[in-house]
Amino acid sequence: MGGDAAGPVPNDQHDFALWEKRVDALMILGSARGHFTVDGLRRCLEDMGEQAFEEMTYYERWVASVNQNLIEAGVYSLEELGAKMEEVKARGDTYGSAQDA
C-alpha cells in the first residue's frame, strides 16, 4: 500500500468470476458514458483507507469505487440503490430460487 513492502507479486492467472467480469464492464461503460474518470475512480479507492485494502478483494474495491462515482454523478441515488438491492435480495440466493418466486 502506497509503496510499502508487500512481498512478491503473484504472476499466476486465474479465471475471473462472472461478477468480476461485470465490474470490468461497468468500469468500461461508465467511463465511456462520461460518468467518471480514472482519476475519479482512483480518488475513491484512495479514500477507502488501508483497512479496505487489507479486507476487500481487488474487485470489491473497484465496484465500491464505481458505485460511489455513479452516485456522485447522479446516475442513481442511495435510496434507489437500496430499493434495488432489496428487490434483488427478494429474488433468492440462486437463479433457481428466483424462478420459484
Side-chain angles (χ1 to χ4, degrees):
M1 165 126 183
D4 291 341
V9 175
N11 291 328
D12 55 327
Q13 297 293 322
H14 70 279
D15 274 341
F16 294 99
L18 180 58
W19 76 271
E20 293 171 324
K21 293 176 183 180
R22 289 178 174 165
V23 172
D24 272 333
L26 282 171
M27 290 170 53
I28 292 166
L29 293 170
S31 178
R33 295 204 171 187
H35 296 309
F36 48 77
T37 63
V38 171
D39 292 336
L41 292 170
R42 175 60 56 194
R43 176 190 48 82
C44 287
L45 289 169
E46 291 172 354
D47 287 349
M48 288 179 196
E50 187 175 343
Q51 186 173 356
F53 283 82
E54 292 175 0
E55 296 178 1
M56 298 170 77
T57 68
Y58 176 84
Y59 281 101
E60 287 172 336
R61 292 189 308 267
W62 277 104
V63 76
S65 180
V66 167
N67 181 59
Q68 181 63 36
N69 275 268
L70 291 173
I71 289 170
E72 290 175 4
V75 175
Y76 52 80
S77 68
L78 282 174
E79 293 77 17
E80 290 169 319
L81 176 61
K84 181 55 81 170
M85 290 173 70
E86 287 300 318
E87 177 187 320
V88 170
K89 184 179 178 182
R91 295 179 192 166
D93 294 332
T94 66
Y95 181 78
S97 63
Q99 296 302 306
D100 296 336

